[in-house]
Amino acid sequence: MNAPIRPTSPLLIGHRGAPAYLPEHTSAGYLLALRQGADALEPDVVPTSDGVLLIRHEPMLGASTNIAERSTEFGRAREMSTPDGALTDWFAHDYTWEQLRSLRAVERIPQIRPANTAHDGTFSLLRLRDLVELVGDERTQRGARPRLVIELKHASWFRGLGFDLAELLERELAGLWGTPALDGLVIESFEGDVLREVRRRGFAGDAALIYLIDSEGTPHDRLAQDGPAARDYASDLTDSGLDAIAEWADGISPSHLLLGVSDEAGAAHPHAGRVLVERAHTRGLKVFTWTLRPEDDFLPPALAGRPEEYWRGILRTGVDGVFADAPDRVRAVIDEAFRR
């Protein structure tokens, strides 16, 4: 067995629950993630028309709920310009929480996870408040209190629609501080502006702010401000970019694609990823990475069918936390690597 990669094992974050086994963002999926060894849980949040923070991967509801079957109540899908282009769908911010609470979750990627469709229509949607209360008395597999890693989605786009996600987060969590799930809270986003606004408002106390970094493209808040001249995500990984992030954030969370584990050689000796992690650590930044998934669709072609080998390579970079869709399988790899 290999020697431990780091003195302490990384935080294992159940990415939207345990979506390799159950539809994402469901109460059963989140509780399964804890039983499978997750230390923390990650909900994505988007606003409803009345400002409630709904737990969904995106504001579009067509792929992850049964809303298409409920057109008599919810009307027809409409076209809208989104950060992902013009889409025709049903949007969370067009409906109140009271309307949306009657919907049920379905498997968002049935072509990749067909077994999960057996649970379509079983689980209700959740507000962020519901999840905080759901896990308030829960324990992780190791007996600790689970933590939450809340992702604020498309903040600048929602601001243009009249929704201030930092303000709505403050309102959503009002009265819940002191709930164990909010101890060690992490708040993350692909946009730095909303994270800085959370810090400015001060309501989240010592919550850690983690800046998500995609493998390509440009943050939407910078595009909104600077247009074509906006700096891309790659610029955040330069020395000056990391220096700037360290002035306001507690960590970064680059895509797993940025860690240089693309084949057997990279899995055994992930030099580029280790250098990136060390450069961030030198500046006092934690490093998480997203997302470890077991299906070949999400693995480098050279490592197809061998997700554990890929994940070992990711761990060898020295990251402080990993997001996982199959927490049990990633937990086994972590425990093997750290001799637990």
Side-chain angles (χ1 to χ4, degrees):
M1 188 178 297
N2 293 332
I5 298 160
R6 286 176 60 79
T8 58
S9 62
L11 190 75
L12 175 56
I13 305 160
H15 180 243
R16 311 174 196 163
Y21 305 106
L22 290 171
E24 63 191 31
H25 291 319
T26 59
S27 56
Y30 284 119
L31 294 177
L32 177 61
L34 295 180
R35 293 196 298 273
Q36 291 188 340
D39 303 302
L41 303 171
E42 187 238 18
D44 302 314
V45 295
V46 298
T48 64
S49 65
D50 51 342
V52 172
L53 289 184
L54 175 72
I55 299 179
R56 288 286 94 189
H57 169 54
E58 298 284 356
M60 292 74 75
L61 302 174
S64 66
T65 78
N66 65 344
I67 195 169
E69 303 170 1
R70 307 274 298 276
S71 58
T72 301
E73 302 158 76
F74 289 90
R76 299 175 61 182
R78 73 180 181 98
E79 184 175 355
M80 187 174 190
S81 176
T82 78
D84 299 313
L87 297 175
T88 299
D89 211 306
W90 294 265
F91 297 89
H93 53 273
D94 287 337
Y95 306 97
T96 67
W97 163 243
E98 285 301 315
Q99 291 174 292
L100 295 178
R101 69 189 305 171
S102 69
L103 292 176
R104 296 294 182 267
V106 302
E107 174 54 43
R108 186 176 60 86
I109 46 176
Q111 70 280 14
I112 297 175
R113 293 170 174 166
N116 287 1
T117 62
H119 305 283
D120 284 358
T122 302
F123 307 114
S124 302
L125 306 194
L126 299 171
R127 302 169 295 179
L128 179 58
R129 173 175 293 269
D130 296 327
L131 179 59
V132 174
E133 294 173 346
L134 174 71
V135 302
D137 294 323
E138 294 292 327
R139 296 279 182 173
T140 68
Q141 191 183 74
R142 301 177 184 283
R145 294 289 190 182
R147 300 166 61 181
L148 291 184
V149 181
I150 300 170
E151 181 180 346
L152 302 177
K153 303 289 292 192
H154 304 312
S156 59
W157 183 66
F158 278 122
R159 180 177 287 278
L161 297 175
F163 299 98
D164 183 330
L165 291 192
E167 178 183 352
L168 294 181
L169 181 64
E170 181 175 8
R171 189 172 83 182
E172 187 82 9
L173 297 181
L176 295 175
W177 297 105
T179 304
L182 295 183
D183 291 342
L185 177 65
V186 176
I187 302 171
E188 61 179 3
S189 178
F190 285 98
E191 301 180 32
D193 281 354
V194 69
L195 296 177
R196 288 188 285 269
E197 177 63 13
V198 167
R199 176 73 35 93
R200 187 193 69 78
R201 285 177 172 271
F203 67 89
D206 59 356
L209 303 182
I210 301 292
Y211 177 51
L212 293 159
I213 300 176
D214 210 339
S215 59
E216 58 184 14
T218 302
H220 290 292
D221 53 349
R222 289 187 199 150
L223 281 173
Q225 294 167 13
D226 303 326
R231 292 187 298 109
D232 61 9
Y233 283 113
S235 71
D236 290 312
L237 299 179
T238 64
D239 286 343
S240 60
L242 289 173
D243 288 341
I245 293 169
E247 293 179 1
W248 57 268
D250 301 289
I252 60 173
S253 185
S255 164
H256 67 106
L257 299 174
L258 293 168
L259 296 181
V261 182
S262 59
D263 53 26
E264 293 89 343
H269 303 286
H271 175 72
R274 185 177 293 118
V275 169
L276 171 58
V277 171
E278 290 174 352
R279 289 171 57 232
H281 283 167
T282 297
R283 292 163 171 82
L285 294 167
K286 295 286 189 182
V287 182
F288 295 169
T289 192
W290 51 276
T291 301
L292 307 191
R293 295 172 163 127
E295 297 90 357
D296 286 351
D297 304 73
F298 307 111
L299 294 171
L303 293 170
R306 294 179 287 167
E308 281 81 7
E309 184 173 346
Y310 182 61
W311 301 339
R312 291 185 189 101
I314 296 295
L315 294 180
R316 289 188 180 101
T317 67
V319 291
D320 303 289
V322 295
F323 292 83
D325 280 9
D328 57 340
R329 295 179 64 176
V330 177
R331 170 54 68 195
V333 172
I334 291 174
D335 288 352
E336 172 194 298
F338 292 87
R339 295 182 177 175
R340 292 239 177 148

